[in-house]
């Protein structure tokens, strides 16, 4: 639970069970108490997300994520990106620093969670970008766009 963002709402869980035929069943929700933690986790949402985010043919796309909190106590950070065909990317980065060349799968969906050195993050605007040079189907970043999660020491 260390990467579940802190919130005022109760924590609820459900089981997803996939049977032999590939059909997934969902159990009823159960409310559980928040576990004791040594750090707090915040999630920051994107803005200015392109309506059609597909980086290919020498194009770069990006968005901004505002972090209003003081990052001096940040101990860990992650960038979460849902992608299609992230294998065709030539770069994914933040604030002008490339984190990885490729993410995800070739012509398939992937939910990617990348570690970010907290020192790369800025209080205020953080620019997330992808770049692709392939003339074919490039990386797509899926809606609602990437998010940044930061764990802070208490």
């Amino acid at each position: 639970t260390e990467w579940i963002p802190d919130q005022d709402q109760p924590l609820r869980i459900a089981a997803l069970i996939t049977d032999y035929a590939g059909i997934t069943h969902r159990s009823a929700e159960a409310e559980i108490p928040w576990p004791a933690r040594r750090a707090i986790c915040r999630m920051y949402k994107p803005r200015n997300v392109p309506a059609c985010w597909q980086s290919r043919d020498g194009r770069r796309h990006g968005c901004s994520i505002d972090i209003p909190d003081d990052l001096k106590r940040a101990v860990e950070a992650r960038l979460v990106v849902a992608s299609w065909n992230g294998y065709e990317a030539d770069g994914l980065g933040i604030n002008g620093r490339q984190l990885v060349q490729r993410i995800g799968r070739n012509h398939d969906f992937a939910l990617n969670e990348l570690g970010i050195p907290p020192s790369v993050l800025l209080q205020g605007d953080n620019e997330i970008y992808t770049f692709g040079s392939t003339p074919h189907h490039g990386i797509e970043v899926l809606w609602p766009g990437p998010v940044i999660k930061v764990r802070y020491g208490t």
Side-chain angles (χ1 to χ4, degrees), residues 116-129:
I116 306 171
S119 60
V120 172
L121 298 175
L122 304 171
Q123 184 174 2
D125 277 343
N126 291 269
E127 302 298 321
I128 312 299
Y129 72 88

Side-chain angles (χ1 to χ4, degrees), residues 67-78:
I67 298 179
D69 300 312
D70 184 357
L71 292 161
K72 289 180 185 149
R73 294 182 306 116
V75 292
E76 287 184 277
R78 290 186 177 176

Side-chain angles (χ1 to χ4, degrees), residues 1-35:
T1 60
E2 64 186 10
W3 283 104
I4 297 173
D6 288 56
Q7 53 194 327
D8 295 334
Q9 300 297 315
L11 187 60
R12 293 188 179 118
I13 62 170
L16 296 175
I17 301 162
T18 303
D19 67 19
Y20 66 91
I23 298 172
T24 300
H25 306 270
R26 183 181 182 275
S27 72
E29 290 180 357
E31 193 170 303
I32 62 172
W34 276 96

Side-chain angles (χ1 to χ4, degrees), residues 132-152:
S133 61
T134 180
H136 305 290
H137 195 113
I139 179 176
E140 292 184 28
V141 173
L142 305 178
W143 194 258
V147 297
I148 294 175
K149 294 193 290 186
V150 179
R151 289 186 62 231
Y152 296 92

